[in-house]
Amino acid sequence: MADGPPLPPRKGRVSGCIDLVHAGHIEFFKEAAALGELHVRLGSDANIRALKDHAPMYSDAERLFMVRSIACVHDAALSAGTGRFDFVEDARRLKPDVYFVNDDASKLEERAALMAELGVEMVVQRRAPAAGLEERSSTSMKARLRDLVAEEERAA
C-alpha cells in the first residue's frame, strides 16, 4: 500500500522558435515527453525578428496551433521572456522539473547555469531523427525552399 497521495507527474519543458514544424520537432517533443508532462514555450514573432533579423515563416497563432495539436504536448504557449534566454522567465513561472534541449542548442553552458540557479534539471540529448527518417532542421528546410524557388524561377 502506498504512503500518502500519488506524486504529481514530472513537468518537462522545451523551448524554441519551432518555425516550419517538421518530423525532427515531433521526435524532439516525443523524447522530451518521455521525461514528464511536456510544456512547450515558443519564441514570439517579435523575439524571432529581434534575434534572427527575419520574420518567422508562420505567425505566433499558427505555430501555437500546430504545436498544441501534437499528441505528446500537454501545453504550449508563447515565451513570456525576450532575448536569447527567453525561456528563463517561463521556467520561473512554470517551475518545471526538467528542461530538455538538443546538444546543438546555442550557449549550452549558460543555459545549464541558468537552469541550475532555478533548481531545474537540464537534460541534453543528441539531435537524431526518428528511425528511418532523414535529419531535418528548420534552417536546412528554409535553405532548400529558397533553392527550389530559385530553380523554378530559372526554369520559368
Side-chain angles (χ1 to χ4, degrees):
M1 189 156 175
D3 296 339
L7 294 173
R10 285 172 42 113
K11 274 191 217 172
R13 194 167 147 306
V14 300
S15 64
C17 299
I18 320 295
D19 200 13
L20 280 182
V21 175
H22 54 76
H25 289 123
I26 307 303
E27 183 65 12
F28 176 68
F29 293 154
K30 287 173 69 176
E31 291 171 355
L35 301 174
E37 181 183 270
L38 180 58
H39 297 259
V40 179
R41 293 300 178 263
L42 304 174
S44 69
D45 290 352
N47 204 40
I48 292 169
R49 280 188 200 94
L51 292 174
K52 298 188 176 200
D53 202 29
H54 66 76
M57 194 72 143
Y58 297 109
S59 69
D60 288 340
E62 286 179 287
R63 289 181 295 119
L64 277 170
F65 172 78
M66 288 185 279
V67 171
R68 286 175 175 158
S69 298
I70 298 168
C72 63
V73 173
H74 176 78
D75 169 59
L78 293 176
S79 284
T82 58
R84 170 110 8 241
F85 299 123
D86 63 344
F87 57 87
V88 173
E89 182 59 30
D90 299 314
R92 285 188 182 106
R93 292 177 182 191
L94 184 63
K95 298 180 180 14
D97 300 295
V98 178
Y99 177 59
F100 186 81
V101 296
N102 280 326
D103 62 353
D104 62 351
S106 66
K107 304 190 183 289
L108 277 176
E109 289 181 14
E110 289 95 329
R111 287 173 188 260
L114 290 164
M115 290 299 102
E117 285 175 23
L118 296 172
V120 176
E121 175 188 1
M122 187 166 115
V123 174
V124 180
Q125 180 76 23
R126 189 180 75 75
R127 178 189 296 264
L133 297 181
E134 194 175 321
E135 187 165 333
R136 301 233 183 258
S137 73
S138 296
T139 301
S140 68
M141 290 178 65
K142 287 175 186 174
R144 185 166 181 224
L145 285 169
R146 279 191 298 275
D147 292 346
L148 288 171
V149 168
E151 187 177 307
E152 285 180 3
E153 288 173 351
R154 283 192 299 272

